[in-house]
Amino acid sequence: MPSIDAANLRKDFPILDQRVNDEPLVYLDNAATTQKPEAVLQRLLAYYHTDNANVHRGVHTLAERATADYEASREKVRAFLHAASTKEVLFTRGTTTGLNWVAQFARQVLQPGDEVLISIMEHHSNIIPWQEACRLTGAKLVYAYLKDGQLDMADLKAKLNARTKFVSLAHVSNVLGAINPVKEIGQLAHAVGAYMVVDGAQSAPHMPVDVQDLDCDFYTLSGHKMLGPTGIGVLYGKEAILEEMAPVEFGGEMIDFVYEQEANWKELPWKFEAGTPNIAGAIAFGAALDYLNHLGMSAVHAHEQELVAYVLPKLQAIDGVTVYGPQDPSQHAAVLAFNIDGLHPHDVATALDYEGVAVRAGHHCAQPLIQYLGISSAVRASFYLYNTKEDCDKLIDAILKTKEFFNGTL
């Protein structure tokens, strides 16, 4: 398997070649959004420079070119996820939209007394839509909890039963960095007749994904977390289930024919894509997938695991630092949430920024998890394919400087 030369890749990302507070930028907020390579930026511009037209509607040359490129990106997504058909690939605004669409479908399915099983580590996007679906249908939202910084599988199995109609879990936690065994959980869910929903926002950018092998019923992702533009995402759904689902939005593009008092819908996937879609975003996202495919997702994952194996022990060794999630680097994705005794996470993040190190501080849209951990917030450093061991060293050095500074002022 070819390895990734992250230092060489950095030349493809213009934004990384800058100084912040007179220090070279070390960008470690990749779980929030990733930077974009020049090839993606140029593809976005090229659409507007030469092919700007609406899709699926016109027969003129620009419209046909735009449509061909838009649908070519859908095929790239299909291949990237190993979906069976482009009918199973719906373009959305992002993971949040995809999860909301699934939860809307759940309102067709759920009855009073039914249950939806999620985990305490979920992002708000995989909590609030289910809260609403349960509130409106009389179903119950059930949580599986943690053991040793990871999903407690015994707890999940104990709570999975004949009343469970949906199981919805993050493939990778955006706080803990824990990698959940969603294939095994999907088998357990299907055994009781439940749908398996996977939040892939933190997995699709970082590891190979085969939705047919996972046998999940739905899988969601966000383009901006995997080198693509903001405002574009994907909901994968098994074709037979998508055929059952009612459209979420209504209007132009998703109809076959409109009568005065009723209408019927286009075939998949277009029945879910009302209005003018994010054409430029979808096309540029296709360029992002080209970039990732050129590197190879196995190589991306191996590179990130190498970084985690390098930096996690260094972080754990700093006196007064608590790292959340799995403590074994081999079980930890490239998301490291931590706190420093006596220091507020926002102060830590500000101090790191003075050193040119960009990290995130806060509750990370995972307040139930933060409360469960008994903290108010945390610092999060998250890595991607263009990060290096030198970036890891700069993070550790900046943390040590921060500790020294605040200890001197306390």
Side-chain angles (χ1 to χ4, degrees), residues 101-322:
W101 285 9
V102 177
Q104 289 268 24
F105 168 61
R107 298 181 194 180
Q108 299 175 227
V109 175
L110 293 171
Q111 301 290 329
D114 288 343
E115 295 181 356
V116 175
L117 180 58
I118 63 175
S119 82
I120 197 65
M121 72 176 71
E122 301 307 315
H123 189 281
H124 293 166
S125 296
N126 201 28
I127 296 176
I128 300 169
W130 296 113
Q131 289 178 342
E132 287 297 294
C134 290
R135 181 179 66 83
L136 292 169
T137 61
K140 180 182 179 182
L141 186 59
V142 179
Y143 287 82
Y145 294 96
L146 308 180
K147 183 178 181 181
D148 300 327
Q150 300 182 77
L151 183 64
D152 185 340
M153 285 295 291
D155 186 41
L156 180 137
K157 291 175 182 178
K159 290 172 177 173
L160 191 63
N161 59 74
R163 295 185 300 275
T164 309
K165 302 306 177 189
F166 287 85
V167 177
S168 190
L169 296 171
H171 198 171
V172 174
S173 168
N174 75 311
V175 178
L176 302 174
I179 304 170
N180 289 323
V182 293
K183 180 177 180 178
E184 177 189 353
I185 295 168
Q187 292 169 346
L188 296 171
H190 290 153
V192 300
Y195 293 97
M196 182 67 202
V197 186
V198 179
D199 172 357
Q202 301 295 340
S203 57
H206 303 285
M207 61 184 66
V209 172
D210 185 330
V211 292
Q212 292 189 79
D213 180 62
L214 293 177
D215 195 27
C216 54
D217 298 299
F218 299 97
Y219 186 99
T220 60
L221 60 84
S222 296
H224 72 95
K225 295 183 188 291
M226 46 197 304
L227 307 180
T230 55
I232 189 70
V234 169
L235 171 62
Y236 158 83
K238 288 180 178 177
E239 183 177 348
I241 302 173
L242 294 180
E243 292 285 5
E244 297 175 24
M245 286 176 58
V248 178
E249 294 182 302
F250 302 88
E253 187 61 25
M254 51 76 66
I255 53 91
D256 183 29
F257 200 88
V258 179
Y259 306 90
E260 285 195 13
Q261 300 299 327
E262 61 182 15
N264 49 41
W265 320 132
K266 274 187 180 177
E267 63 181 337
L268 291 172
W270 303 293
K271 82 170 186 178
F272 288 98
E273 296 179 7
T276 297
N278 184 354
I279 304 166
I283 291 171
F285 183 43
L289 294 180
D290 289 341
Y291 192 96
L292 290 171
N293 285 329
H294 175 73
L295 296 175
M297 292 309 298
S298 293
V300 171
H301 184 59
H303 173 71
E304 293 180 8
Q305 291 304 111
E306 184 179 346
L307 293 181
V308 172
Y310 180 77
V311 72
L312 180 55
K314 294 178 181 291
L315 190 59
Q316 291 166 326
I318 300 175
D319 185 47
V321 168
T322 300

Side-chain angles (χ1 to χ4, degrees), residues 76-95:
K76 290 176 183 179
V77 174
R78 184 211 64 75
F80 187 85
L81 295 178
H82 298 90
S85 167
T86 53
K87 292 181 178 180
E88 300 179 324
V89 175
L90 313 182
F91 282 125
T92 68
R93 292 196 305 272
T95 302

Side-chain angles (χ1 to χ4, degrees), residues 306-345:
E306 184 179 346
L307 293 181
V308 172
Y310 180 77
V311 72
L312 180 55
K314 294 178 181 291
L315 190 59
Q316 291 166 326
I318 300 175
D319 185 47
V321 168
T322 300
V323 182
Y324 304 102
Q327 299 301 301
D328 181 349
S330 68
Q331 299 175 359
H332 212 299
V335 176
L336 302 176
F338 62 94
N339 274 322
I340 302 175
D341 289 351
L343 301 184
H344 194 283

